[in-house]
């Protein structure tokens, strides 16, 4: 397990620190190959299916990356990441990175893979595994055509919002939440890459404690979630508030990046795009509010006769305790952020 963990960390760091496409590709491959045994660890059919889907999509994305960088090297004579000038190569590269992240229109693998894995692996895929592709997209953001990024971003917002509405499985809900948030990140990447990094960092900060709490209480469905108050009332309320924070509802932390993104779009005279972004965030707000309503408003006043105490593992998680307040209440830092 130590070797696998080291491979995941080294692969991501190698990709983030490289200035050459081949080294970046090797880092991504090392990262992907290390994650496969983790996904397939539960000896179930669903886990095997999730591993196969993850491997195939990531392998296709890696092949597209190689194709793009090879064509660009053929045209410009350079493997340098900053020298990605060819329009065709840039488009293929952007699509391959979106595929690696799980953004629309190549998002189909993400909900299925998350549903077939454990909660800890789902946390890894929705947070750490996005860092390397986002970094590469940040490095080439000046060369990607804004139309491609904006189209993919808006599509991700719509699909992420609509896809999460009908879900009863929390892992699939979090997958569509991830797609929705990637939409915001990719949209603003075309105009302010630094703000895109801030948005994805805030999302990781909010998602991590949600998954840690779901792991602690063994919560996987909305039905499980409605009975978690019998084991830990504080944790149940924290999950509800974190869901509202992820939706971008003020005064929580998730409101901060969305406010700054909308401010940037309006300052660039892209009022229609900003309006579209707000409308799609309302769609995603619907399923977050449903979860919060289910937890906080439908709690019966008496103790439940069903024995659900087995789901409480009675373990203290220091990262979860430290990250929850930060993931909820740092909106007041908005005036201090230079934008």
């Amino acid at each position: 397990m130590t070797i696998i963990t080291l491979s995941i960390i080294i692969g991501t760091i190698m990709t983030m620190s490289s200035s050459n496409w081949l080294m970046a590709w090797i880092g991504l491959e090392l990262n992907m190959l290390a994650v496969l045994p983790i996904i397939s660890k539960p000896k179930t059919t669903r886990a095997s299916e999730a591993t196969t889907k993850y491997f195939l999509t990531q392998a296709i994305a890696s092949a597209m990356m190689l194709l793009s960088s090879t064509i660009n090297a053929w045209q410009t004579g350079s493997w340098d990441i900053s020298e990605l000038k060819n329009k065709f190569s840039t488009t293929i590269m952007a699509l391959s990175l979106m595929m690696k992240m799980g953004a629309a229109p190549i998002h189909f693998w993400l909900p299925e893979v998350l549903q077939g894995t454990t909660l800890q692996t789902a946390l890894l895929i929705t947070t750490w595994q996005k860092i390397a592709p986002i970094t590469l997209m940040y490095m080439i953001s000046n060369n990607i055509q804004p139309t491609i990024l904006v189209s993919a971003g808006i599509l991700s917002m719509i699909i992420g919002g609509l896809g999460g509405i009908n879900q009863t499985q929390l892992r699939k809900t979090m997958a569509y939440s991830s797609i929705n948030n990637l939409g915001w990140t990719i949209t603003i990447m075309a105009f302010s890459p630094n703000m895109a990094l801030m948005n994805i960092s805030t999302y990781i900060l909010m998602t991590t404690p949600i998954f840690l709490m779901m792991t602690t209480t063994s919560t996987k469905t909305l039905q499980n979630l409605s009975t978690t108050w019998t084991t830990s009332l504080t944790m149940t309320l924290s999950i509800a508030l974190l869901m509202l924070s992820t939706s971008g509802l003020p005064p929580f932390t998730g409101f901060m990046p969305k406010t700054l993104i909308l401010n940037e779009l309006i300052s660039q005279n892209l009022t229609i795009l900003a309006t579209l972004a707000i409308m799609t965030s309302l769609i995603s707000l619907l399923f977050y509010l449903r979860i919060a309503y289910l937890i906080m408003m439908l709690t019966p006043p008496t103790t439940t006769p069903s024995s659900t105490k087995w789901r409480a593992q009675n373990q203290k998680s220091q990262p979860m305790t430290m990250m929850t307040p930060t993931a909820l209440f740092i909106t007041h830092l908005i005036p201090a952020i230079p934008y």
Side-chain angles (χ1 to χ4, degrees):
M1 194 64 189
T2 311
I3 297 171
I4 290 172
T5 308
L6 276 174
S7 299
I8 291 171
I9 295 168
I10 290 167
T12 303
I13 293 171
M14 190 188 294
T15 303
M16 290 172 70
S17 57
S18 62
S19 59
N20 184 290
W21 278 119
L22 282 178
M23 286 304 295
W25 177 79
I26 290 167
L28 285 169
E29 288 301 291
L30 179 65
N31 185 289
M32 187 228 348
L33 291 171
V35 169
L36 292 177
I38 297 178
I39 301 174
S40 62
K41 192 178 179 183
K43 299 294 179 264
T44 60
T45 314
R46 289 300 298 269
S48 304
E49 183 187 334
T51 310
T52 309
K53 285 178 179 175
Y54 186 80
F55 172 72
L56 288 173
T57 49
Q58 297 296 314
I60 292 166
S62 296
M64 288 169 69
M65 268 190 74
L66 267 184
L67 172 68
S68 170
S69 52
T70 307
I71 291 171
N72 186 69
W74 181 39
Q75 294 282 333
T76 61
S78 172
W79 286 93
D80 200 272
I81 290 177
S82 57
E83 293 295 317
L84 194 69
K85 306 293 185 188
N86 186 286
K87 278 190 176 182
F88 177 73
S89 297
T90 311
T91 307
I92 296 291
M93 185 61 72
L95 285 172
S96 70
L97 293 174
M98 287 175 202
M99 193 173 186
K100 279 199 168 290
M101 288 185 276
I106 322 168
H107 65 283
F108 303 102
W109 63 272
L110 188 61
E112 297 301 320
V113 169
L114 255 60
Q115 186 57 30
T117 60
T118 60
L119 287 165
Q120 294 98 322
T121 313
L123 169 63
L124 178 71
I125 293 169
T126 50
T127 54
W128 183 266
Q129 291 300 95
K130 286 184 171 44
I131 295 173
I134 283 281
T135 308
L136 287 176
M137 188 173 275
Y138 175 83
M139 291 165 79
I140 63 167
S141 58
N142 290 333
N143 299 326
I144 305 174
Q145 296 175 57
T147 315
I148 295 168
L149 290 175
V150 169
S151 303
I154 292 293
L155 193 61
S156 295
M157 288 183 206
I158 295 168
I159 288 171
L162 293 175
I165 288 174
N166 244 2
Q167 300 300 331
T168 55
Q169 297 288 331
L170 284 175
R171 280 169 295 182
K172 277 195 174 182
T173 305
M174 294 307 292
Y176 283 109
S177 163
S178 170
I179 293 166
N180 180 270
N181 192 271
L182 276 174
W184 284 84
T185 306
I186 292 169
T187 301
I188 198 61
M189 186 74 79
F191 310 104
S192 176
N194 291 333
M195 208 168 282
L197 285 190
M198 186 198 67
N199 184 60
I200 198 71
S201 304
T202 311
Y203 173 74
I204 290 171
L205 180 70
M206 292 184 295
T207 304
T208 306
I210 292 177
F211 271 110
L212 289 175
M213 287 180 194
M214 282 162 58
T215 307
T216 307
T217 55
S218 301
T219 304
K220 293 179 181 177
T221 64
L222 287 177
Q223 189 178 6
N224 290 157
L225 200 59
S226 64
T227 55
T228 47
W229 65 275
T230 61
T231 56
S232 174
L233 186 60
T234 310
M235 207 173 286
T236 307
L237 290 174
S238 297
I239 291 175
L241 292 175
L242 283 165
M243 287 288 185
L244 293 177
S245 179
T246 313
S247 71
L249 206 66
F252 301 114
T253 299
F255 178 64
M256 178 182 67
K258 290 193 176 180
T259 309
L260 296 175
I261 288 170
L262 291 172
N263 180 64
E264 180 66 26
L265 290 175
I266 291 166
S267 67
Q268 299 264 5
N269 293 323
L270 296 164
T271 316
I272 296 172
L273 185 58
T275 309
L276 269 173
I278 293 169
M279 296 303 287
T280 53
S281 73
L282 287 175
I283 301 171
S284 62
L285 181 64
L286 185 63
F287 67 82
Y288 288 117
L289 279 175
R290 187 181 65 161
I291 295 169
Y293 178 75
L294 189 68
I295 296 170
M296 296 200 284
M297 303 296 184
L298 298 182
T299 303
T302 54
T303 310
T304 177
S306 62
S307 59
T308 52
K309 297 289 181 186
W310 60 269
R311 287 201 279 111
Q313 296 173 14
N314 292 324
Q315 58 182 28
K316 302 293 180 187
S317 174
Q318 198 173 359
M320 181 173 70
T321 313
M322 291 168 62
M323 290 178 79
T324 304
T326 318
L328 287 174
F329 306 112
I330 58 167
T331 318
H332 60 278
L333 294 178
I334 291 180
I337 298 172
Y339 57 88

